Amino acid sequence: MRALFPGSFDPVTQGHQDVLRRAALLFDEVVVCVMFNSNKTGRFPITERLDRLHAAATGLSNVTIDSHTGGLLVDYCRRVGIGVVIRGVRNVHDLDYEMPMAHMNHELAGVETFFIAADPAHAHVSSTLVTAMSQQDPGACPK
């Protein structure tokens, strides 16, 4: 079974890497896809995010990296024949944010969402937090 792990990955964090490693153990193939989020201002260009994801996927032979910057997530899933989306969740706020999208993806295209609970060691870290910290003190950033 193929699964999609979408996100802005701006930047890639240890939490993303952990979810990716765990998903790679569960699915035959995991496609990590940099998606465009109109609610976020990108810090890193997509090419750099793709490079960082390639590095994060080192040693994971069943992981491929891609990008999709136009259209809905379900459009990408239909185009490449993927029926499962992987989402990492850190807390109930993440789940509250993700559930309506999971329902809509299922309603629009029959795409299921598979939630992976964040490792508690990484649950406090978000790309937004990493970006904010790096703007204040570049040497203080967790990865």
Side-chain angles (χ1 to χ4, degrees):
M1 180 180 291
R2 298 175 74 211
L4 176 69
F5 181 28
S8 58
F9 302 106
D10 190 32
V12 178
T13 67
Q14 287 182 358
H16 293 134
Q17 292 173 325
D18 177 61
V19 169
L20 176 58
R21 281 190 301 270
R22 291 164 59 200
L25 294 171
L26 298 170
F27 294 93
D28 298 319
E29 180 185 1
V30 176
V31 178
V32 183
C33 191
V34 175
M35 306 290 285
F36 175 72
N37 184 338
S38 61
N39 295 327
K40 294 184 179 182
T41 302
R43 178 171 178 225
F44 295 103
I46 289 177
T47 54
E48 186 170 343
R49 295 183 224 175
L50 292 170
D51 289 344
R52 290 177 182 216
L53 286 167
H54 279 288
T58 298
L60 302 175
S61 62
N62 63 333
V63 172
T64 57
I65 311 298
D66 200 2
S67 65
H68 179 71
T69 57
L72 300 173
L73 178 140
V74 293
D75 296 332
Y76 181 88
C77 288
R78 283 184 188 125
R79 183 168 56 82
V80 300
I82 292 177
V84 176
V85 172
I86 299 162
R87 299 301 294 162
V89 290
R90 296 166 294 174
N91 53 44
V92 294
H93 301 291
D94 283 355
L95 198 56
D96 285 344
Y97 176 81
E98 294 292 343
M99 286 302 292
M101 290 187 292
H103 291 303
M104 186 58 69
N105 291 338
H106 187 264
E107 186 70 27
L108 290 173
V111 173
E112 296 293 347
T113 301
F114 187 88
F115 294 107
I116 297 180
D119 181 322
H122 305 297
H124 66 287
V125 178
S126 69
S127 293
T128 304
L129 179 62
V130 169
T131 298
M133 289 180 62
S134 69
Q135 290 171 344
Q136 297 300 313
D137 181 2
C141 274
K143 300 275 189 246

